[in-house]
Amino acid sequence: GMMTLVLGTPGGGRTSLFKVLAGNTADNSEVTGKVLFNNRPIDPASHHHDISYITQRDNHMPQLTVRETLYFSSECNLPESVSKETREKRLQILLDILGLDRCKNTLVGNDFIRGISGGQKKRVTIGIDLMKGV
């Protein structure tokens, strides 16, 4: 795989750029010109396999474990035709890749419920989005 780092001053437009690339703009936003990704127009049906926009806020259900959170994401994002066995395999792959296997049975938590660390929470947020295209 390949990762691209985008640096800039505050207010320089990084967030706006990534929102446009991810197809995550507000309904009343106007984007002019052509938006191409790998020299192709963005295809909303499959674009989430190429790029993802992860927000800075980690909004999770604090009463769920890491494993339950990622499995719930698979239930919401994957087609019904994907079997439970395939979902479980994808879940385990993500737990391993993101280094979350050790805390998979720990509550995500919040300010009132003790749970995983902030770094682990960020990786759960990334895992939720990756569940769509693993």
Side-chain angles (χ1 to χ4, degrees), residues 58 100 103 106-108 115-124:
D58 301 317
L100 295 169
C103 64
T106 304
L107 293 178
V108 172
I116 59 176
S117 72
Q120 291 166 328
K121 222 173 260 187
K122 180 54 70 184
R123 285 182 274 152
V124 169

Side-chain angles (χ1 to χ4, degrees), residues 20-33:
V20 168
L21 290 175
N24 191 13
T25 57
D27 291 337
N28 59 354
S29 296
E30 182 181 343
V31 178
T32 58

Side-chain angles (χ1 to χ4, degrees), residues 75-116:
E75 290 285 314
C76 294
N77 293 307
L78 296 176
E80 289 181 25
S81 60
V82 177
S83 70
K84 181 175 175 145
E85 181 180 325
T86 301
R87 289 173 197 273
E88 290 288 344
K89 284 180 185 175
R90 289 181 177 195
L91 174 62
Q92 191 56 53
I93 289 169
L94 280 178
L95 289 170
D96 291 340
I97 289 172
L98 295 171
L100 295 169
D101 194 55
R102 284 185 21 215
C103 64
K104 67 183 174 190
N105 295 318
T106 304
L107 293 178
V108 172
N110 62 11
D111 292 340
F112 304 105
I113 300 171
R114 187 178 180 102
I116 59 176

Side-chain angles (χ1 to χ4, degrees), residues 37-100:
F37 190 74
N38 290 335
N39 284 331
R40 296 185 318 243
I42 292 174
D43 178 6
S46 64
H47 191 58
H48 64 274
H49 294 289
D50 296 323
I51 190 168
S52 184
Y53 176 75
I54 310 287
T55 62
Q56 291 182 357
R57 278 218 161 88
D58 301 317
N59 295 319
H60 303 294
M61 297 165 75
Q63 306 89 343
L64 295 180
T65 65
V66 169
R67 187 188 176 295
E68 289 168 336
T69 300
L70 292 174
Y71 193 82
F72 180 70
S73 175
S74 78
E75 290 285 314
C76 294
N77 293 307
L78 296 176
E80 289 181 25
S81 60
V82 177
S83 70
K84 181 175 175 145
E85 181 180 325
T86 301
R87 289 173 197 273
E88 290 288 344
K89 284 180 185 175
R90 289 181 177 195
L91 174 62
Q92 191 56 53
I93 289 169
L94 280 178
L95 289 170
D96 291 340
I97 289 172
L98 295 171
L100 295 169

